[in-house]
C-alpha cells in the first residue's frame, strides 16, 4: 500500500470509533498498528528506503525522547480526531451550516474555516447575520404574552413562560422587572402603588427599562391582532399600493397606448415607425391620521389591564373603520377626478340613467354598460365585472338572483342567465349611513386586471397603525400615539359603474 492508502485506511478506523463514541477494538488496534509500522518504513519522496524523513519522529518516540507505545499513539490520534470534529462542528453551527462534509473528507480546522467563508461568500450570507435572543428579551416576550392572555386576548404560539405571568398584577410585574435589572426588590416592595408608579415614570426615556418596553410590546401586539379582525369590506375590491413619501405623485406614472395595429410586412418590405401616445394618470398622495391615549396613574393603581388591550384595540378598530368610511365616501360623494368631471358621469359612460334596486334586469344592464368601455385611445378593452357593492338590505335578494336556475316570478320558468355568474357580493352599512333617508346607490366593480377603479396607498406598505410611546405635557401617566398613513385615489373610472339606487324601506 502507498502512503495515501495507508492514511485513508487509518482515517476510516478512527472515524468508525468516533461515530460509535468508543475506543478502537482489539482487531482495529492491531490493524492500525500494522499500518503505522508500514507507514514508518515508507520513505518520503527523495529519501532512500529505510531512512526516516528529516525532522520526522518515529511512532515509538514521544515528546522529550520518551518512548510511546502503539496503544498510546492510537489513543492520542483518537483524541486529536475528536477535537478536530468538535472544533469543525462548533464552527459550522455558529453559521447555521452542516459540518458533515468537512468531517468525513478529513478537513483540518484551517481548511474547514476557509471552506465555510467561501460558502458564506457564495450564498451572500453576512457573517454577523445571527442574532442571539438573550434572557431579557425572552422575559419581555413572555411577560407581554402573559398580559395579553390575562386580558382575554387569544395568543397563538405564546412565548415560553407566558403562563407564569398571566396571573401577575401590574404592580407585581413592575417589581419583577426591577428585580431582574438588579434593583433592590425590598425597596420596591415597601413602596405603595402610587410611589411605585411615580418611580416607573422616571424610566420613560431609559431604552433598557423592561416595564415600559413590555407595555409597548403588549399594546403593539393588541393593535395588530385586533386591527386584522375589524370586519370592513373596502379591502375586498380596492387595489393596494405603496408610496415612499408624502409628496403628490402626478408625474410618476403614464398610461401608454394608442399603438397602431400591426401591419403586414411584404417580402423585402420595411417595418414602419410607430410612436406610442401617452396620457397622464391621476395623482396619488398620502395623509396621516391618528389619535393619542394614555395609561393613567389611576389605571395602574386599579390594575386595569384593559388599557393595554381593549383601549388600543378600540383605536385600531376606529382607524380601520375610518379608512373604510373614507373609501365608500369617495364613490358615494362622486367628486370630480383628474379630468375635471365627476367620477360617475355620462361622459365616462359608467352611470345608469334610472335608479332602481338590484334585479336580474338592472344587473345585466350595468354589466353590459361596463363591457362597452374603451381605453383612453379609443380601443376596446375587456372588462370583467367581479364585485357588486350594495347597502344592507339586498343581500338575500342577490342570493336568489345569482343562485337560482330559473327567473323568479316568470310565467314560463325562464332560464336565469345570471345563475352562478362569477360576481362576489360586498354588503356595507356605510352606504346606508351615507344615504340616510335618500336613495342608496349600488355599484359594480371590475377585476383590476381588466380595469382599475379605486386604490388605497400606504406609506411603505404599512397597513396596521403605528404605536409610539411619548411624554405628553400635563398628562400624569404613560402616553402613546397611534397613527396611520394612507391615501385614496381613483385610478380609473372604467373599472366601476354606478346605479343611483332606490330608497330602502
Amino acid at each position: 500500500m502507498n502512503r495515501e492508502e495507508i492514511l485513508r485506511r487509518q482515517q476510516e478506523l478512527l472515524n468508525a470509533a468516533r461515530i460509535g463514541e468508543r475506543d478502537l477494538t482489539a482487531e482495529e488496534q492491531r490493524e492500525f498498528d500494522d499500518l503505522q509500522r508500514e507507514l514508518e518504513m515508507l520513505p518520503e519522496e527523495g529519501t532512500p528506503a529505510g531512512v526516516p524523513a528529516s525532522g520526522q519522529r518515529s511512532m515509538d518516540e514521544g515528546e522529550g525522547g520518551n518512548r510511546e507505545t502503539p496503544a498510546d499513539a492510537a489513543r492520542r490520534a483518537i483524541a486529536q480526531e475528536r477535537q478536530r470534529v468538535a472544533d469543525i462542528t462548533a464552527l459550522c453551527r455558529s453559521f447555521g451550516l452542516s459540518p458533515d462534509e468537512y468531517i468525513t473528507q478529513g478537513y483540518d480546522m484551517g481548511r474547514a474555516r476557509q471552506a465555510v467563508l467561501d460558502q458564506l461568500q457564495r450564498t451572500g450570507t453576512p457573517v454577523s447575520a445571527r442574532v442571539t435572543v438573550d434572557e431579557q428579551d425572552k422575559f419581555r416576550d413572555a411577560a407581554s404574552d402573559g398580559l395579553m392572555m390575562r386580558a382575554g386576548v387569544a395568543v397563538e404560539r405564546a412565548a415560553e413562560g407566558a403562563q407564569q405571568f398571566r396571573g401577575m398584577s401590574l404592580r407585581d410585574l413592575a417589581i419583577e422587572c426591577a428585580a431582574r435589572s438588579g434593583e433592590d426588590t425590598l425597596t420596591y416592595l415597601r413602596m405603595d402603588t402610587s410611589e411605585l408608579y411615580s418611580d416607573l415614570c422616571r424610566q420613560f426615556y431609559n431604552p433598557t427599562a423592561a416595564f415600559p418596553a413590555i407595555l409597548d410590546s403588549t399594546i403593539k401586539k393588541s393593535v395588530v391582532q385586533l386591527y386584522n379582525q375589524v370586519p370592513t369590506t373596502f379591502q375586498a375590491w380596492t387595489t393596494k399600493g405603496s408610496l415612499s413619501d408624502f409628496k403628490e405623485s402626478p408625474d410618476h406614472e403614464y398610461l401608454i397606448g394608442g399603438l397602431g395595429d400591426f401591419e403586414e410586412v411584404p417580402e423585402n418590405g420595411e417595418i414602419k415607425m410607430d410612436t406610442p401616445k401617452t396620457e397622464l394618470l391621476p395623482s396619488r398622495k398620502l395623509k396621516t391620521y391618528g389619535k393619542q391615549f394614555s395609561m393613567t396613574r389611576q389605571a395602574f393603581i386599579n390594575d386595569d389591564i384593559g388599557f393595554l388591550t381593549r383601549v388600543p384595540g378600540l383605536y385600531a378598530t376606529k382607524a380601520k373603520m375610518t379608512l373604510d368610511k373614507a373609501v365608500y365616501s369617495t364613490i358615494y360623494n362622486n367628486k370630480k377626478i383628474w379630468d375635471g368631471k365627476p367620477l360617475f358621469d355620462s361622459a365616462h359612460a359608467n352611470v345608469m340613467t334610472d335608479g332602481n334596486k338590484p334585479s336580474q334586469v338592472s344587473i345585466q344592464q350595468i354589466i353590459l354598460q361596463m363591457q362597452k368601455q374603451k381605453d383612453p385611445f379609443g380601443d376596446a378593452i375587456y372588462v370583467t365585472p367581479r364585485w357588486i357593492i350594495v347597502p344592507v338590505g339586498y343581500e338575500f335578494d342577490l342570493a336568489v338572483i345569482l343562485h337560482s336556475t330559473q327567473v323568479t316570478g316568470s310565467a314560463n320558468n325562464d332560464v336565469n342567465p345570471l345563475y352562478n355568474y362569477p360576481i362576489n357580493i360586498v354588503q356595507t352599512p356605510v352606504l346606508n349611513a351615507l344615504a340616510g333617508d335618500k336613495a342608496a346607490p349600488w355599484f359594480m366593480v371590475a377585476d383590476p386586471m381588466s380595469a382599475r377603479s379605486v386604490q388605497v396607498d400606504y406609506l411603505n406598505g404599512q397597513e396596521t397603525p403605528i404605536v409610539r410611546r411619548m411624554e405628553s405635557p400635563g398628562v400624569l401617566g404613560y402616553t402613546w400615539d397611534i397613527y396611520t398613513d394612507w391615501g385614496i385615489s381613483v385610478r380609473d373610472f372604467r373599472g366601476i359603474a354606478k346605479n343611483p339606487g332606490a330608497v330602502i324601506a
Side-chain angles (χ1 to χ4, degrees), residues 7-22 24 28 32 77-78 81-82 84-85 100 102-107:
L7 292 174
R8 186 182 303 111
R9 179 53 185 163
Q10 285 183 321
Q11 186 66 53
E12 291 174 356
L13 294 173
L14 294 173
N15 287 342
R18 176 186 58 80
I19 294 173
E21 295 185 354
R22 58 175 175 78
L24 295 174
E28 290 171 338
F32 186 92
I78 292 175
E81 173 63 11
R82 287 176 176 170
R84 181 185 74 90
V85 170
D100 295 344
Y102 309 131
I103 292 174
T104 56
Q105 293 186 11
Y107 281 35

Side-chain angles (χ1 to χ4, degrees), residues 36 78 118 121 134 138 151-152 184 204 218 257 271 277 286 289 317 330 338 355 366 375 393-394 420 457 469:
Q36 185 63 34
I78 292 175
D118 291 343
Q121 186 175 15
D134 60 19
K138 293 179 181 178
D184 182 7
F204 192 93
T218 305
I271 298 179
K277 300 176 183 178
L286 297 175
Y289 305 83
T317 299
T330 299
W338 73 92
I366 200 170
D375 70 13
Y394 296 135
N420 281 346
D457 290 301
R469 176 165 41 93

Side-chain angles (χ1 to χ4, degrees), residues 54 88 102 105 205 220 247 267 299 353 391 395 465 494:
S54 175
I88 293 177
Y102 309 131
Q105 293 186 11
Y205 289 113
K220 290 176 182 178
K247 294 182 293 187
E267 185 176 0
T353 305
E395 181 180 13
R494 297 169 182 82

